[in-house]
Amino acid sequence: MVLTASFVAILFLAVAGYGMSRSRAVSVAGGNLARLHSRPSYHGTYSLLWVLIAGIATLLIVGEAWALLNERIYFSIIEDARPGLAQIEKQLILSDAHQLARGGIASATGEVRTALAETIRVMDTWRVVVTAILSLAAAAAAAALTFGRIDADWRARNRSENIIRAILMICAIIAILTTIGIVLSLIFETINFFGKIDWQVHKFLFGTTWSPLSGVSAGKLDPDKVGAVPLFAGTFMITIIAMLVAVPVGLFAAVYLSDFASKATRAWAKPMLEILAGVPTVVYGFFAAITVAPAIRDAGNFLGLSVDSSSALAAGTVMGIMIIPFISSLSDDVINSVPQSLRDGSYGLGATKAETIRQVVLPAALPGIVSAVLLGVSRAVGETMIVVMAAGQGANLTWNPLEAVTTVTVQIVMLYTGDTDLETASGPVFALGFTLFCVTLLLNVVALRIVRRYREMYD
Amino acid sequence: MTNMRMTEQDLQDRETKIASRGVDVFYGATHAIKDVDIDILNNTVTAFIGPSGCGKSTFLRCLNRMNDTIDSCRVTGQILLDGDDIYHSSVDPVTLRARVGMVFQKPNPFPKSIFDNIAYGPRIHGLVNNKAELDEVVEKSLRRAAIWNEVKDRLDQPGTGLSGGQQQRLCIARAIATAPEVLLMDEPCSALDPIATAQIEELIDELRQDFAVVIVTHSMQQAARVSQKTAFFHLGVIAEHGDTNQIFTNPVDKRTQDYITGRFG
C-alpha cells in the first residue's frame, strides 16, 4: 500500500516537475522563445524523465535489496529456533509466517511461526516506510537538480532524446535477453533429458515407441520408450493436410479479392475473412471433435472405410480452415502491392486477365506468398488446441490419415496435465519443445532466405 | 535523326491508320475529352502536346482501350482502326491491344529475365512455333529497340536490373515483339536522363518505318524533334493539329501560340 502510494506520488512529482521546468524555461526565455536552445516542453520532458528514473529505480532497488536481506535474517532466525531443519521445511515455516503477518491462514501454527510473523511485520514496516521516503527524496532531488540547470543554452532536447534512446534500447535488450534465456533453458533441460536416457539421442530422434513415463526407474527413463518418430510423423501429416486445405483456398481467395472483386465486395469480404482469424483455436477444436470428425467417420463408413473417431484428416482439415485467413490476408496484401504499372504493361501487350495474374502478378508476389505459406506452416506445427481435441492421443505410427495420430504439441500437453510427476515429465517435454523450436527456426530461416533471394532478383 | 523535315506531299501520301470521330470521354461526371476528331497516319510520328491535365494521355489510352480497366470511364464517339470501330461490341480489347501496343511513362519491365520479358507477348499470342523462332523474335525486337548489344550476354538476368533508359528500351522491344501496327507512347522519356532520352528519340524515328507511332510528351522540343504531325490539346479539346513544322513555326490558334511560346502551361 505504502509503496503503491509512493509510486503514485512519484508520478505526481514527475508531472509537477514537467510543469515547473517548462514554465521556468518560458520565463528564462523572457518573451523570446527563439533564444532557448531547446523548446520549453523539452526542458519539461528532461525533468519528467529524471524524476521517474530516480524515483522508480530507488523504489525497486532499495525495496528489493532490503527484502532479500530480510529473507536471510528470517532464515537465520528459524535456524536459531529450530536447528538442523531441511531447507524446504524452513521455506514452509517462512511462508506460513508471511501468511500470518498478512493476517491470512497458515498451514500450521506454532510458537516459532507466531514469533517470526511478529518480526516480519515490524521489519517489513521499516523496509516499506524507509524505501518510500528514500524514493520520494530521490525523485524530489532529481526534480530540483534538473530545475536548477535550466538556462537558455541548456541542451535539454539532446539530453532527453538520449535518455529516450536508452529506454528504447533497454526494451529491445529485454526482448532479446528473454529469447536467449528461453533458448538456453530449452537447451540445458534437453541435455539433462538426454543424460537421463544414457545419451542415446538417436533413440529419441529415430525410435518408434513413445511411452516416456512407462519405463521410469531411479530418475532414469527407458531409452527404448522415448522414440519421438510417431509424434514427428503425426505433426508432419497433419501439417501437410492443413496446408493442402489452406494454400489453394487461401491463395485463390486472395487472387479473387485483389484482382476480381469489386471495391464494395472487397470492403466487406476481407474483414469477414479476418474475423475467421479471430476465432479462438479452442472453438475450432471442438468444432473439429464434435462436427468434422464424426462427419468424416460417417462418410468413411458409407464408403466402406474404417475411420477412427478422431482422425488426422479431421484435425488437419479444421487446422487448414484456421490457417486460410492468414494465407489469404497476407497474400492479398502482397498481390495488391504489385504495382499497377506491371498489370498495365501486361494488358498493354494484349494479355488477358488470367495471363496477367498467372505470369506477371503471381511471380512478382511470390516471395511474399512463400513467406505467408511458411508462416502458415509454422502455425500448423505449433498449433495445439485443435489436435488435442481432434487428433487423438495414442502415439500411433501410420501413414493413414483416417487413423488417430498424435503430435508433438499434444504430447507436451498430455505430459504436463493430469496426474504426472512433473520432475520426470519435464525431460521429454523440454526435448520435444526444443525440437519444435528448431523446426520453426529452420522454417523461418528458409523463408527469409527465399524472400531475400527473390528481392535481389526483382527489386 | 535524318529525314525529319518531310514535304507536305510526303505526308499526304500516307494512309490513315486510326481515325477518331467525335470522341468524348467521361470519368464519372467529369467530361475529360470533348468531341475529338483526328487522323493518325501510317509510318508517321504523331505527337500530342499540351498542358498537364488537358486529356492527351486519356485520349491516347482510348486508342487501345486501356481505359477499359478503369471502372468509371465511359467513351462515346467512333475510333476507327483501318476503318473498323474499336469500341464495337464484337471487338475483343485483348486482340486490339496486340495490334496497338503501348509503352508507358515509367519503365515497367516484368520481374522476369530480359528474354522472358520480350518473349511474353509472342508466347501469349502464339506468334511462334518453336524455341528457334522465339529466339529470333527476341533478338530482332531487341535489335530494333537498339538494346541488343547491351544485353545480349545477359538475357537470363532480370530485366529490373537494367538502368532506367535500358529498361525503357526493353519495354519498347517488348511492345515491338508482339508485331503491333500502332505504337502508343505515354511520355516515354519523362523518367529518363538526357542521354537515354536522345537514344529513345532516335529509336522512335526509326520505328516510324514500320509502325504508326503516337507519342504524348510534355517537352515541346521533343515533339518538334521526333514528330511529323502534332496535335495540341487544351482543356479536353484539340485546339489545333497539323504538320509539326507548321504548328511550331506558324500556329493558327492563339492558344497554341501562347503555349509554344511559353506564355502558359
Side-chain angles (χ1 to χ4, degrees):
Chain A
M1 257 324 279
V2 178
L3 290 185
T4 316
S6 60
F7 179 71
V8 174
I10 290 168
L11 291 187
F12 271 115
L13 260 176
V15 174
Y18 177 89
M20 280 161 59
S21 295
R22 197 180 174 286
S23 49
R24 167 85 186 260
V26 172
S27 70
V28 162
N32 178 15
L33 284 181
R35 266 189 64 217
L36 293 175
H37 168 270
S38 305
R39 302 291 95 226
S41 64
Y42 280 109
H43 289 279
T45 307
Y46 183 64
S47 181
L48 176 115
L49 288 170
W50 269 119
V51 172
L52 285 181
I53 291 171
I56 293 174
T58 316
L59 199 63
L60 290 178
I61 294 170
V62 174
E64 281 305 306
W66 200 323
L68 284 177
L69 193 73
N70 279 358
E71 290 288 293
R72 299 186 69 154
I73 296 172
Y74 302 150
F75 273 118
S76 66
I77 292 174
I78 298 172
E79 176 67 33
D80 289 344
R82 306 271 300 273
L85 271 185
Q87 184 67 15
I88 190 146
E89 287 180 71
K90 286 186 196 165
Q91 276 168 2
L92 187 64
I93 293 178
L94 184 57
S95 89
D96 278 342
H98 273 296
Q99 281 295 337
L100 288 174
R102 242 177 273 136
I105 296 161
S107 64
T109 47
E111 204 181 318
V112 181
R113 286 175 170 81
T114 324
L116 188 56
E118 189 52 39
T119 318
I120 288 173
R121 215 172 296 154
V122 174
M123 289 181 68
D124 216 43
T125 310
W126 273 106
R127 176 181 76 96
V128 165
V129 170
V130 175
T131 306
I133 292 171
L134 278 179
S135 62
L136 283 177
L145 278 175
T146 50
F147 184 77
R149 291 178 87 160
I150 293 169
D151 63 48
D153 296 328
W154 178 237
R155 298 166 88 88
R157 175 172 56 78
N158 310 37
R159 282 165 183 272
S160 34
E161 278 168 359
N162 283 343
I163 296 173
I164 287 169
R165 197 170 58 202
I167 293 173
L168 297 182
M169 200 173 74
I170 289 168
C171 291
I173 288 172
I174 288 173
I176 293 168
L177 285 184
T178 313
T179 314
I180 292 175
I182 290 173
V183 172
L184 285 182
S185 88
L186 277 177
I187 290 175
F188 284 127
E189 290 290 334
T190 305
I191 290 172
N192 196 8
F193 163 69
F194 287 151
K196 284 184 187 169
I197 56 169
D198 299 326
W199 297 103
Q200 291 174 302
V201 178
H202 60 279
K203 289 201 168 160
F204 169 72
L205 289 177
F206 305 112
T208 55
T209 309
W210 178 260
S211 177
L213 297 183
S214 61
V216 184
S217 62
K220 289 265 180 187
L221 292 154
D222 184 351
D224 289 322
K225 289 190 173 152
V226 294
V229 167
L231 279 49
F232 299 150
T235 307
F236 184 69
M237 182 157 69
I238 289 183
T239 305
I240 294 281
I241 294 170
M243 296 325 280
L244 285 178
V245 173
V247 172
V249 178
L251 196 55
F252 291 160
V255 169
Y256 170 73
L257 281 180
S258 62
D259 278 57
F260 288 97
S262 67
K263 266 201 184 118
T265 316
R266 192 183 144 80
W268 64 264
K270 200 172 181 201
M272 286 299 280
L273 259 175
E274 276 157 6
I275 287 174
L276 199 57
V279 176
T281 58
V282 67
V283 174
Y284 284 110
F286 64 71
F287 176 60
I290 294 172
T291 314
V292 178
I296 287 176
R297 191 186 52 207
D298 292 346
N301 289 343
F302 181 70
L303 296 170
L305 299 167
S306 103
V307 183
D308 290 353
S309 59
S310 46
S311 62
L313 188 59
T317 310
V318 174
M319 197 189 282
I321 292 170
M322 181 198 80
I323 295 168
I324 287 172
F326 288 92
I327 296 200
S328 70
S329 191
L330 286 170
S331 305
D332 176 62
D333 288 343
V334 288
I335 290 173
N336 253 323
S337 67
V338 172
Q340 182 62 32
S341 70
L342 283 185
R343 292 184 172 89
D344 281 349
S346 178
Y347 293 141
L349 290 170
T352 63
K353 200 155 195 170
E355 286 161 346
T356 302
I357 290 169
R358 213 176 54 240
Q359 300 191 27
V360 175
V361 176
L362 287 184
L366 196 65
I369 293 171
V370 167
S371 61
V373 169
L374 287 177
L375 189 76
V377 171
S378 59
R379 268 197 76 92
V381 169
E383 171 51 38
T384 311
M385 227 43 232
I386 294 173
V387 279
V388 165
M389 293 167 99
Q393 275 117 41
N396 182 10
L397 185 58
T398 174
W399 287 115
N400 181 356
L402 302 177
E403 284 180 32
V405 295
T406 194
T407 68
V408 173
T409 49
V410 170
Q411 287 310 310
I412 291 177
V413 173
M414 302 314 298
L415 285 169
Y416 260 180
T417 53
D419 192 16
T420 49
D421 170 16
L422 288 189
E423 186 71 18
T424 325
S426 68
V429 163
F430 273 99
L432 289 178
F434 185 60
T435 319
L436 211 54
F437 168 78
C438 289
V439 170
T440 339
L441 185 71
L442 195 73
L443 281 174
N444 288 345
V445 170
V446 169
L448 274 181
R449 286 195 76 119
I450 291 174
V451 170
R452 201 171 299 148
R453 221 189 46 228
Y454 279 91
R455 283 261 161 77
E456 278 165 14
M457 262 182 83
Y458 293 150
D459 272 357
Chain B
M1 269 182 254
T2 55
N3 193 22
M4 290 283 299
R5 301 281 169 258
M6 292 186 295
T7 62
E8 297 250 328
Q9 192 59 43
D10 271 346
L11 286 171
Q12 272 157 13
D13 286 348
R14 299 196 178 153
E15 58 189 74
T16 301
K17 188 70 191 172
I18 297 179
S20 151
R21 294 291 173 263
V23 171
D24 288 85
V25 180
F26 303 87
Y27 284 120
T30 317
H31 197 170
I33 298 282
K34 292 163 195 153
D35 193 25
V36 165
D37 284 1
I38 190 171
D39 286 353
I40 311 282
L41 302 183
N42 230 341
N43 303 109
T44 306
V45 178
T46 306
F48 291 172
I49 60 170
S52 296
C54 65
K56 50 194 191 306
S57 285
T58 300
F59 182 67
L60 187 78
R61 290 167 66 95
C62 290
L63 300 181
N64 68 344
R65 294 185 58 176
M66 277 301 282
N67 284 335
D68 287 17
T69 57
I70 300 166
D71 287 336
S72 61
C73 184
R74 195 161 53 81
V75 180
T76 61
Q78 272 195 322
I79 297 176
L80 307 168
L81 175 65
D82 288 337
D84 301 320
D85 187 359
I86 63 169
Y87 278 89
H88 192 271
S89 60
S90 67
V91 174
D92 182 358
V94 166
T95 39
L96 170 72
R97 289 180 202 137
R99 292 175 67 193
V100 183
M102 188 157 195
V103 174
F104 295 84
Q105 181 171 1
K106 227 181 109 212
N108 55 350
F110 300 138
K112 298 168 178 292
S113 70
I114 292 172
F115 185 93
D116 287 339
N117 261 282
I118 309 298
Y120 184 76
R123 273 181 185 145
I124 58 176
H125 295 300
L127 300 180
V128 290
N129 298 313
N130 52 47
K131 180 79 167 77
E133 277 183 42
L134 185 62
D135 286 346
E136 198 188 308
V137 168
V138 169
E139 178 174 348
K140 213 178 88 192
S141 309
L142 288 169
R143 281 192 192 281
R144 291 291 282 120
I147 192 180
W148 171 252
N149 286 331
E150 290 159 65
V151 300
K152 64 182 174 197
D153 299 324
R154 45 173 173 152
L155 291 176
D156 55 341
Q157 302 274 306
T160 42
L162 299 171
S163 74
Q166 289 173 325
Q167 286 188 9
Q168 194 61 299
R169 277 180 285 153
L170 181 73
C171 293
I172 294 173
R174 189 174 70 186
I176 297 170
T178 52
E181 298 155 37
V182 181
L183 204 51
L184 309 177
M185 297 183 155
D186 190 357
E187 299 180 36
C189 301
S190 64
L192 304 181
D193 67 32
I195 294 170
T197 301
Q199 287 169 325
I200 304 274
E201 285 180 4
E202 200 169 337
L203 177 59
I204 291 171
D205 194 54
E206 283 172 22
L207 293 174
R208 176 163 63 85
Q209 287 155 18
D210 299 317
F211 312 105
V213 179
V214 185
I215 175 171
V216 165
T217 177
H218 264 124
S219 155
M220 282 176 285
Q221 290 85 347
Q222 184 171 59
R225 282 194 300 262
V226 301
S227 72
Q228 291 81 49
K229 289 278 190 182
T230 297
F232 172 64
F233 279 74
H234 185 67
L235 301 176
V237 299
I238 293 189
E240 185 172 0
H241 70 100
D243 293 347
T244 300
N245 261 343
Q246 174 255 316
I247 296 271
F248 281 97
T249 54
N250 191 19
V252 177
D253 194 283
K254 176 80 168 57
R255 291 166 294 183
T256 320
Q257 199 174 2
D258 286 349
Y259 184 67
I260 62 172
T261 52
R263 223 164 288 167
F264 75 88

